[in-house]
Amino acid sequence: MKVWRSRVGGSDTATAPRPGSHFIGVDVGGTKILGIATDGVTATIEYRELAATPKDPAKFADGILAVVGGLLDTVPDVAGVGVGVPGLVDHAGVLHYGPNVQGVLGLDIAGELMRRFPVPAVAENDGYLTALTEHRLGAARGHDHAIVITQGTGIGGGLIVGGQVLRGANGFAGEPGHMLINRFGHLCACGRTGCWEAVASGAGLANLARDVIAEGKGEAILAAAGGDPGLIRGEHVSAAYSDDDPDAVEVLERFSWWIAQGIGSLIALLDPSIVVLGGGLSAIAEGFIDGVSRQITETVVGGDHRPVVPIVAADFGPEAGAVGAALRARDFVING
Ligand SMILES: [Zn+2]
């Protein structure tokens, strides 16, 4: 009997994929599902499929299966499928919980795929897969110790330690967004107060904008959001920033300060040689990345007495997770 899912000691079916094989990589976000196919080695995308993430948690798995099924209908010689999901995914590919996919609990994604399709499948945390892509093909290449942070609506990430993307005891390592950094802070998507994500993601940028508005400032930002503070999103801040609005500049200064607090703690903990920032917010990184770099020396212990850790933009954009899922699918077929 074939056992595809064992990760301990490698798969009992370890085989080298045939030349010309394709690997499907799927990145499941809070709002959309991106499926691609590559050779599992490079980032060259040959096929692509996009769908909305089902709002009903009971239909979550069906949404993923539909994207994979659509690709399997068109992509020749598929040797494996990898899926990245935003949440706590264990070593067996079971999604236990995800703050941005509320209501999806204990879902055996890899198992569902293999029950439906005759192809080996593996599921991972999306941040893990993004870090895999940046480490193997992107900005963290050649770094045995690196931190990859993706800033979108929330914060994802992966920690490269000793040349490997860290998994942790359960597979749940690499959730820097939910480090608690301010007991009196903003409400996080996970339901707790004071997570780093609540001040350092797209949602965090909106929270900081609302703070400025509550202080009687930020008219341009509020206008960009149609006058309703509850509707403010990160892009409203970036739009005002592009127009040289001084209040938007202040919001981004606060934003860079909070980002620096979190990165300083991560550097103290892991001693990386590089920090890579990716995700949707990289589009406005010029508004905060220099500020973050300047403040790291103050936020990390012994900042004046240790090498400067470069903070750089990710090489891969929104497709990093899906590319990593295809890389992981190939690894899984070969090594388990
Ligand atoms: Zn949280």
Side-chain angles (χ1 to χ4, degrees):
M1 193 178 105
K2 290 190 171 184
V3 179
W4 291 106
R5 293 174 56 207
S6 166
R7 290 185 184 165
V8 180
S11 165
D12 356 357
T13 56
T15 54
R18 283 200 322 245
S21 293
H22 287 100
F23 295 86
I24 290 174
V26 180
D27 186 25
V28 185
T31 56
K32 56 183 187 291
I33 302 173
L34 171 65
I36 61 157
T38 74
D39 62 3
V41 178
T42 66
T44 306
I45 295 172
E46 297 176 57
Y47 300 86
R48 181 186 308 264
E49 183 120 354
L50 192 64
T53 306
K55 294 222 178 342
D56 179 356
K59 300 202 168 96
F60 184 77
D62 286 340
I64 299 169
L65 290 167
V67 168
V68 172
L71 284 165
L72 283 169
D73 285 344
T74 52
V75 182
D77 299 320
V78 174
V81 178
V83 178
V85 284
L88 304 178
V89 182
D90 71 17
H91 293 303
V94 176
L95 171 63
H96 287 251
Y97 165 79
N100 294 308
V101 285
Q102 293 285 352
V104 183
L105 302 168
L107 178 65
D108 180 5
I109 295 169
E112 295 267 345
L113 284 162
M114 286 189 289
R115 274 188 286 279
R116 179 75 66 90
F117 306 114
V119 183
V122 61
E124 298 281 3
N125 170 269
D126 58 351
Y128 172 92
L129 296 172
T130 297
L132 190 66
T133 302
E134 291 295 338
H135 183 230
R136 202 170 286 180
L137 303 171
R141 193 157 62 160
H143 290 267
D144 284 344
H145 300 273
I147 296 169
V148 177
I149 294 164
T150 56
Q151 296 170 287
T153 307
I155 289 183
L159 311 170
I160 292 130
V161 176
Q164 301 285 324
V165 187
L166 190 69
R167 288 188 180 284
N170 301 295
F172 302 164
E175 288 284 356
H178 302 285
M179 298 188 297
L180 291 170
I181 61 166
N182 181 5
R183 181 184 166 195
F184 305 105
H186 293 277
L187 184 65
C188 180
C190 74
R192 297 183 306 166
T193 296
C195 291
W196 189 39
E197 179 173 302
V199 282
S201 66
L205 185 58
N207 283 335
L208 298 177
R210 279 188 280 273
D211 288 350
V212 165
I213 287 163
E215 294 164 16
K217 297 179 281 187
E219 275 175 36
I221 300 168
L222 190 57
D228 182 351
L231 295 180
I232 291 175
R233 294 158 57 101
E235 52 258 42
H236 299 132
V237 182
S238 57
Y241 177 82
S242 302
D243 292 340
D244 296 324
D245 174 53
D247 295 338
V249 172
E250 181 175 348
V251 172
L252 279 164
E253 278 171 4
R254 296 185 191 188
F255 191 53
S256 70
W257 188 86
W258 280 114
I259 296 170
Q261 303 311 304
I263 291 178
S265 296
L266 289 168
I267 292 173
L269 196 63
L270 294 163
D271 185 24
S273 54
I274 196 166
V275 175
V276 177
L277 297 185
L281 282 185
S282 49
I284 57 161
E286 65 173 39
F288 60 82
I289 203 161
D290 286 348
V292 172
S293 298
R294 275 197 309 276
Q295 293 172 90
I296 288 298
T297 304
E298 294 160 31
T299 58
V300 68
V301 60
D304 289 328
H305 309 284
R306 58 194 302 159
V308 171
V309 182
I311 298 176
V312 303
D315 279 355
F316 288 87
E319 287 158 347
V323 168
L327 296 176
R328 176 68 188 113
R330 184 175 185 276
D331 287 359
F332 179 66
V333 168
I334 295 171
N335 297 316

PDB file of all heavy atoms in Angstrom, residues 27 61 96 105 120 124 162 170 185 188 195 221 226 245 253 274 279 287 296:
ATOM      1  N   ASP A  27      -2.347  28.198  -3.425  1.00  0.00           N
ATOM      2  CA  ASP A  27      -2.258  29.092  -2.267  1.00  0.00           C
ATOM      3  C   ASP A  27      -3.671  29.558  -1.917  1.00  0.00           C
ATOM      4  O   ASP A  27      -4.321  30.228  -2.717  1.00  0.00           O
ATOM      5  CB  ASP A  27      -1.359  30.291  -2.597  1.00  0.00           C
ATOM      6  CG  ASP A  27      -1.129  31.171  -1.379  1.00  0.00           C
ATOM      7  OD1 ASP A  27      -1.223  30.669  -0.244  1.00  0.00           O
ATOM      8  OD2 ASP A  27      -0.852  32.370  -1.561  1.00  0.00           O
ATOM      9  N   ALA A  61     -13.253  23.190   1.682  1.00  0.00           N
ATOM     10  CA  ALA A  61     -12.511  22.108   1.018  1.00  0.00           C
ATOM     11  C   ALA A  61     -12.943  21.981  -0.440  1.00  0.00           C
ATOM     12  O   ALA A  61     -12.100  21.779  -1.329  1.00  0.00           O
ATOM     13  CB  ALA A  61     -12.729  20.790   1.752  1.00  0.00           C
ATOM     14  N   HIS A  96      -5.737  22.939  11.611  1.00  0.00           N
ATOM     15  CA  HIS A  96      -6.418  22.937  12.909  1.00  0.00           C
ATOM     16  C   HIS A  96      -7.211  24.209  13.137  1.00  0.00           C
ATOM     17  O   HIS A  96      -8.287  24.182  13.726  1.00  0.00           O
ATOM     18  CB  HIS A  96      -5.386  22.755  14.034  1.00  0.00           C
ATOM     19  CG  HIS A  96      -4.852  21.364  14.098  1.00  0.00           C
ATOM     20  ND1 HIS A  96      -5.156  20.483  15.109  1.00  0.00           N
ATOM     21  CD2 HIS A  96      -4.045  20.689  13.243  1.00  0.00           C
ATOM     22  CE1 HIS A  96      -4.562  19.328  14.878  1.00  0.00           C
ATOM     23  NE2 HIS A  96      -3.869  19.428  13.754  1.00  0.00           N
ATOM     24  N   LEU A 105     -12.083  23.970  10.872  1.00  0.00           N
ATOM     25  CA  LEU A 105     -11.360  23.378  12.005  1.00  0.00           C
ATOM     26  C   LEU A 105     -11.126  21.889  11.754  1.00  0.00           C
ATOM     27  O   LEU A 105     -12.048  21.163  11.384  1.00  0.00           O
ATOM     28  CB  LEU A 105     -12.171  23.555  13.298  1.00  0.00           C
ATOM     29  CG  LEU A 105     -12.520  25.000  13.682  1.00  0.00           C
ATOM     30  CD1 LEU A 105     -13.564  25.013  14.794  1.00  0.00           C
ATOM     31  CD2 LEU A 105     -11.273  25.750  14.114  1.00  0.00           C
ATOM     32  N   PRO A 120      -0.387  12.184  -5.281  1.00  0.00           N
ATOM     33  CA  PRO A 120       0.077  12.510  -3.933  1.00  0.00           C
ATOM     34  C   PRO A 120      -0.122  13.989  -3.619  1.00  0.00           C
ATOM     35  O   PRO A 120       0.101  14.844  -4.478  1.00  0.00           O
ATOM     36  CB  PRO A 120       1.566  12.164  -3.939  1.00  0.00           C
ATOM     37  CG  PRO A 120       1.893  11.683  -5.292  1.00  0.00           C
ATOM     38  CD  PRO A 120       0.660  11.641  -6.129  1.00  0.00           C
ATOM     39  N   GLU A 124       0.412  22.550   3.719  1.00  0.00           N
ATOM     40  CA  GLU A 124       1.341  23.249   4.599  1.00  0.00           C
ATOM     41  C   GLU A 124       0.777  24.614   4.962  1.00  0.00           C
ATOM     42  O   GLU A 124      -0.111  25.133   4.288  1.00  0.00           O
ATOM     43  CB  GLU A 124       2.685  23.488   3.882  1.00  0.00           C
ATOM     44  CG  GLU A 124       3.433  22.249   3.456  1.00  0.00           C
ATOM     45  CD  GLU A 124       4.187  21.597   4.597  1.00  0.00           C
ATOM     46  OE1 GLU A 124       4.088  22.081   5.743  1.00  0.00           O
ATOM     47  OE2 GLU A 124       4.863  20.591   4.338  1.00  0.00           O
ATOM     48  N   GLY A 162      19.252  27.173  10.460  1.00  0.00           N
ATOM     49  CA  GLY A 162      20.154  26.090  10.079  1.00  0.00           C
ATOM     50  C   GLY A 162      19.893  25.567   8.673  1.00  0.00           C
ATOM     51  O   GLY A 162      20.058  24.377   8.406  1.00  0.00           O
ATOM     52  N   ASN A 170       4.837  20.726  16.362  1.00  0.00           N
ATOM     53  CA  ASN A 170       3.562  20.326  15.765  1.00  0.00           C
ATOM     54  C   ASN A 170       3.405  20.721  14.303  1.00  0.00           C
ATOM     55  O   ASN A 170       2.401  20.382  13.685  1.00  0.00           O
ATOM     56  CB  ASN A 170       2.405  20.964  16.551  1.00  0.00           C
ATOM     57  CG  ASN A 170       2.408  20.549  18.004  1.00  0.00           C
ATOM     58  OD1 ASN A 170       2.212  19.378  18.311  1.00  0.00           O
ATOM     59  ND2 ASN A 170       2.680  21.494  18.891  1.00  0.00           N
ATOM     60  N   GLY A 185      -3.183  46.966  23.268  1.00  0.00           N
ATOM     61  CA  GLY A 185      -3.232  47.258  21.835  1.00  0.00           C
ATOM     62  C   GLY A 185      -4.569  46.978  21.190  1.00  0.00           C
ATOM     63  O   GLY A 185      -5.602  46.851  21.849  1.00  0.00           O
ATOM     64  N   CYS A 188      -7.046  41.794  17.438  1.00  0.00           N
ATOM     65  CA  CYS A 188      -6.477  41.047  16.309  1.00  0.00           C
ATOM     66  C   CYS A 188      -7.547  40.146  15.700  1.00  0.00           C
ATOM     67  O   CYS A 188      -8.551  39.818  16.345  1.00  0.00           O
ATOM     68  CB  CYS A 188      -5.304  40.212  16.813  1.00  0.00           C
ATOM     69  SG  CYS A 188      -4.481  39.229  15.529  1.00  0.00           S
ATOM     70  N   CYS A 195      -1.761  41.668  19.453  1.00  0.00           N
ATOM     71  CA  CYS A 195      -0.847  40.923  18.577  1.00  0.00           C
ATOM     72  C   CYS A 195      -0.087  41.910  17.673  1.00  0.00           C
ATOM     73  O   CYS A 195      -0.596  42.978  17.330  1.00  0.00           O
ATOM     74  CB  CYS A 195      -1.610  39.958  17.693  1.00  0.00           C
ATOM     75  SG  CYS A 195      -2.344  38.566  18.558  1.00  0.00           S
ATOM     76  N   ILE A 221      -7.134  60.814   4.750  1.00  0.00           N
ATOM     77  CA  ILE A 221      -7.293  59.354   4.816  1.00  0.00           C
ATOM     78  C   ILE A 221      -8.782  59.016   4.978  1.00  0.00           C
ATOM     79  O   ILE A 221      -9.314  58.132   4.302  1.00  0.00           O
ATOM     80  CB  ILE A 221      -6.496  58.769   6.002  1.00  0.00           C
ATOM     81  CG1 ILE A 221      -5.006  59.083   5.853  1.00  0.00           C
ATOM     82  CG2 ILE A 221      -6.718  57.265   6.123  1.00  0.00           C
ATOM     83  CD1 ILE A 221      -4.178  58.812   7.100  1.00  0.00           C
ATOM     84  N   GLY A 226     -14.238  57.326   2.205  1.00  0.00           N
ATOM     85  CA  GLY A 226     -15.638  57.706   2.092  1.00  0.00           C
ATOM     86  C   GLY A 226     -16.215  58.270   3.377  1.00  0.00           C
ATOM     87  O   GLY A 226     -17.441  58.305   3.537  1.00  0.00           O
ATOM     88  N   ASP A 245       0.359  63.595   1.989  1.00  0.00           N
ATOM     89  CA  ASP A 245      -0.439  64.015   3.146  1.00  0.00           C
ATOM     90  C   ASP A 245       0.389  63.816   4.432  1.00  0.00           C
ATOM     91  O   ASP A 245       0.850  62.705   4.706  1.00  0.00           O
ATOM     92  CB  ASP A 245      -1.719  63.171   3.203  1.00  0.00           C
ATOM     93  CG  ASP A 245      -2.513  63.454   4.454  1.00  0.00           C
ATOM     94  OD1 ASP A 245      -2.814  64.630   4.711  1.00  0.00           O
ATOM     95  OD2 ASP A 245      -2.823  62.488   5.186  1.00  0.00           O
ATOM     96  N   GLU A 253       4.976  56.457   9.859  1.00  0.00           N
ATOM     97  CA  GLU A 253       6.058  56.489  10.845  1.00  0.00           C
ATOM     98  C   GLU A 253       5.732  55.595  12.040  1.00  0.00           C
ATOM     99  O   GLU A 253       6.572  54.841  12.530  1.00  0.00           O
ATOM    100  CB  GLU A 253       6.303  57.930  11.322  1.00  0.00           C
ATOM    101  CG  GLU A 253       7.168  58.719  10.360  1.00  0.00           C
ATOM    102  CD  GLU A 253       7.243  60.196  10.720  1.00  0.00           C
ATOM    103  OE1 GLU A 253       6.679  60.590  11.762  1.00  0.00           O
ATOM    104  OE2 GLU A 253       7.855  60.948   9.936  1.00  0.00           O
ATOM    105  N   ILE A 274      19.559  37.944   7.475  1.00  0.00           N
ATOM    106  CA  ILE A 274      18.746  38.788   6.601  1.00  0.00           C
ATOM    107  C   ILE A 274      17.278  38.696   7.036  1.00  0.00           C
ATOM    108  O   ILE A 274      16.859  37.666   7.584  1.00  0.00           O
ATOM    109  CB  ILE A 274      18.910  38.363   5.118  1.00  0.00           C
ATOM    110  CG1 ILE A 274      18.397  39.443   4.165  1.00  0.00           C
ATOM    111  CG2 ILE A 274      18.214  37.045   4.834  1.00  0.00           C
ATOM    112  CD1 ILE A 274      18.837  39.252   2.716  1.00  0.00           C
ATOM    113  N   GLY A 279       4.641  40.154   0.705  1.00  0.00           N
ATOM    114  CA  GLY A 279       3.195  40.316   0.885  1.00  0.00           C
ATOM    115  C   GLY A 279       2.678  41.565   0.205  1.00  0.00           C
ATOM    116  O   GLY A 279       3.438  42.358  -0.351  1.00  0.00           O
ATOM    117  N   GLY A 287       7.434  53.425   1.827  1.00  0.00           N
ATOM    118  CA  GLY A 287       6.929  54.322   2.866  1.00  0.00           C
ATOM    119  C   GLY A 287       7.377  53.946   4.266  1.00  0.00           C
ATOM    120  O   GLY A 287       7.249  54.758   5.179  1.00  0.00           O
ATOM    121  N   ILE A 296      15.908  49.545  13.782  1.00  0.00           N
ATOM    122  CA  ILE A 296      16.263  48.214  14.272  1.00  0.00           C
ATOM    123  C   ILE A 296      17.404  48.269  15.281  1.00  0.00           C
ATOM    124  O   ILE A 296      17.401  47.563  16.291  1.00  0.00           O
ATOM    125  CB  ILE A 296      16.645  47.290  13.087  1.00  0.00           C
ATOM    126  CG1 ILE A 296      15.396  46.918  12.304  1.00  0.00           C
ATOM    127  CG2 ILE A 296      17.355  46.041  13.561  1.00  0.00           C
ATOM    128  CD1 ILE A 296      14.356  46.146  13.074  1.00  0.00           C
TER     129      ILE A 296
END
